Amino acid sequence: MAVAPPSYCFVAFPPRAKDGLVVFGKNSARPRDEVQEVVYFSAADHEPESKVECTYISIDQVPRTHAIVISRPAWLWGAEMGANEHGVCIANEAINAREPAAETEALLGMDLVRLGLERGTTAKEALDVIVSLLEEHGQGGNYYEDASSCHSFQSAYLIVDREEAWVLETVGKYWAAEKITEGVKCICNQLSLTTKMDAEHPELRTYAQSQGWWTGEDEFNFSQVFSLADDHLDCCAGRESLEKQEESITVQTMINILRDKASGVCIDSESFLTTASIVSVLPQNRSSPCIHYFTGTPDPSRSIFKPFIFVDDVKLVPKAQSPCFGDDDPAKKEPRFQEKPDRRHELYKAHEWARAVIESDQEQGRMLRKTMLELEKQGLEAMEEILSNPAPLDPAEVGDLFYDCVDTEIKFFK
């Protein structure tokens, strides 16, 4: 069975989070050489009976999809993490469970992240979208751009809006979910739900009994029933990082947690690397905008978190998008992944130079990292000003916010 990459997703609610803000974050641990791109899709109306082509299969499209911004491995359709115009954020985790994940091509967990964002106006609505599509189409297929073997996983999701979060954990089409409205929560690449479930698949318990995994007599504990032996309740690195924060949790706190290699939250191993990160701040006061910070580059400890705000006229950022190979893409042809095209975008290439300089750890590297953090700080301070300003946001001022930040970063590296 393939080893699930140790990604971490976090959410903090007031009063643990500061100033009536919900703070969400994720590190996406993926194969080391995989490129992630940051892509914006505007809201759109669709023809009746039209289809949407996901990574491996096509499914029925809905009449209207919401505007979304996502960070995704450049070869697939779905998303590792992202947000929509209604302040819904979703991230997923690849997990192993007692029941092996299907290798048959169906929806990937990452496709379901994007579908939830495109179709849900609240966290609960997105959850309902995901579980109904799971029931209809199932999950399965290769999680990696790898022709030599199929790495398939079950999925867990952290789905967050301004008011609540849902932890959704799935095994095949079966699932359980817990609602969270206070405190902090971390999910990782293992099942974490125990006896507190606020929603579940109607046949979940019957199925567990039919497999001989639960007697029906003792209390039903989801992760005990569905985890591989000795594999549940061990997301401690992420949970400890979050719980040991004595101050209120802010965007900066979340960024610091995601950058922490010593705790294991920031992955830099032989096989896996944190290839992209996100932090979102969702004000519970609806007159304030949600702000989403993306790196679009690997290793958050050597990356700049750049802000994005939804407005009607968002400027697209081709420099953070990978080249498009259309129908010639080896990920779209069968047999799949016979070649690996160069998917590096302009931001990724510029950042490769910066990483090499920082890794050499000479004076130049230290100075470079200092300047990168200074650049990031300016962005964070400008966003704080927007959140503390009672005047309505001027869309013209932020439509090219992410574009300008990416542009500045590339120029700076050159």
Side-chain angles (χ1 to χ4, degrees):
M1 192 179 281
V3 177
S7 297
Y8 289 92
C9 305
F10 302 94
V11 67
F13 282 90
R16 286 293 282 114
K18 201 178 167 199
D19 302 337
L21 304 173
V22 177
V23 186
F24 164 86
K26 178 182 178 184
N27 268 352
S28 171
R30 300 278 304 168
R32 280 196 76 87
D33 59 348
E34 187 178 77
V35 177
Q36 280 203 38
E37 58 180 351
V38 178
V39 198
Y40 167 79
F41 295 95
S42 54
D45 294 311
H46 305 279
E47 293 295 317
E49 294 179 34
S50 60
K51 297 278 185 187
V52 53
E53 206 174 297
C54 303
T55 303
Y56 297 128
I57 64 167
S58 292
I59 66 169
D60 291 337
Q61 185 54 286
V62 288
R64 184 169 176 80
T65 49
H66 309 309
I68 61 168
V69 61
I70 55 175
S71 184
R72 67 174 180 187
W75 61 271
L76 53 76
W77 178 84
E80 270 284 286
M81 52 214 178
N84 72 17
E85 60 184 307
H86 302 289
V88 177
C89 296
I90 310 180
N92 90 315
E93 295 285 349
I95 48 177
N96 290 320
R98 244 180 175 167
E99 179 163 308
E103 293 189 4
T104 313
E105 292 186 348
L107 290 173
L108 284 177
M110 292 167 282
D111 292 338
L112 288 160
V113 170
R114 177 168 171 182
L115 291 161
L117 291 171
E118 287 188 338
R119 302 178 179 196
T121 57
T122 63
K124 180 60 169 68
E125 223 172 82
L127 180 143
D128 293 340
V129 164
I130 291 170
V131 298
S132 68
L133 289 169
L134 203 52
E135 182 74 28
E136 193 177 346
H137 303 285
Q139 58 181 324
N142 204 341
Y143 259 61
Y144 301 152
E145 190 182 13
D146 182 359
S148 62
S149 68
C150 182
H151 310 264
S152 60
F153 299 102
Q154 310 288 9
S155 302
Y157 304 84
L158 184 58
I159 311 169
V160 182
D161 63 24
R162 293 177 191 254
E163 279 153 30
E164 62 186 35
W166 286 83
V167 174
L168 168 63
E169 297 184 343
T170 68
V171 177
K173 68 172 187 175
Y174 300 97
W175 57 273
E178 179 187 1
K179 179 176 165 177
I180 295 148
T181 54
E182 57 184 23
V184 294
K185 184 73 183 177
C186 164
I187 70 163
C188 67
N189 60 342
Q190 290 158 339
L191 295 173
S192 67
L193 299 180
T194 55
T195 54
K196 181 185 181 293
M197 292 175 288
D198 297 300
E200 63 185 78
H201 188 286
E203 291 154 28
L204 176 71
R205 298 174 193 229
T206 331
Y207 179 69
Q209 271 183 290
S210 73
Q211 298 297 306
W213 297 337
W214 181 55
T215 60
E217 288 165 18
D218 42 354
E219 192 176 16
F220 186 81
N221 180 317
F222 182 79
S223 60
Q224 260 177 17
V225 169
F226 284 99
S227 291
L228 294 160
D230 307 325
D231 192 29
H232 56 282
L233 295 184
D234 192 31
C235 286
C236 54
R239 197 172 61 241
E240 281 170 13
S241 293
L242 202 52
E243 286 172 355
K244 76 179 182 198
Q245 302 299 326
E246 288 169 13
E247 307 284 306
S248 296
I249 291 162
T250 62
V251 171
Q252 187 64 65
T253 324
M254 191 63 81
I255 289 174
N256 294 346
I257 289 171
L258 297 184
R259 284 184 168 145
D260 187 0
K261 286 189 175 170
S263 69
V265 169
C266 181
I267 300 297
D268 189 350
S269 69
E270 212 173 301
S271 323
F272 297 116
L273 181 66
T274 299
T275 53
S277 306
I278 181 177
V279 170
S280 292
V281 56
L282 316 173
Q284 292 188 315
N285 172 1
R286 290 187 171 272
S287 63
S288 293
C290 296
I291 303 173
H292 312 283
Y293 299 86
F294 291 90
T295 58
T297 53
D299 190 347
S301 71
R302 294 165 182 166
S303 290
I304 299 175
F305 283 82
K306 298 165 282 291
F308 175 97
I309 295 177
F310 283 95
V311 287
D312 285 342
D313 207 8
V314 168
K315 189 170 183 179
L316 299 178
V317 188
K319 290 174 182 175
Q321 284 177 236
S322 295
C324 179
F325 300 98
D327 292 338
D328 291 333
D329 196 314
K332 289 187 177 168
K333 293 196 261 189
E334 293 190 50
R336 299 196 196 274
F337 314 129
Q338 297 305 298
E339 297 164 52
K340 254 192 181 176
D342 184 356
R343 300 189 187 274
R344 294 173 305 158
H345 45 75
E346 216 174 309
L347 174 64
Y348 188 98
K349 287 178 182 173
H351 183 261
E352 273 183 319
W353 169 82
R355 270 198 299 162
V357 172
I358 292 170
E359 270 163 26
S360 68
D361 202 33
Q362 301 307 312
E363 186 58 25
Q364 188 192 3
R366 283 193 290 277
M367 291 305 292
L368 178 62
R369 188 161 185 277
K370 191 179 167 196
T371 319
M372 285 168 75
L373 291 174
E374 191 51 49
L375 212 56
E376 180 181 273
K377 189 171 168 230
Q378 288 168 16
L380 289 170
E381 285 171 356
M383 294 307 101
E384 263 182 45
E385 216 166 285
I386 285 175
L387 290 178
S388 58
N389 189 346
L393 186 68
D394 177 2
E397 277 185 22
V398 296
D400 39 13
L401 178 64
F402 190 69
Y403 180 97
D404 287 345
C405 290
V406 168
D407 208 43
T408 306
E409 183 174 343
I410 291 172
K411 282 179 183 151
F412 162 68
F413 290 149
K414 284 178 178 169

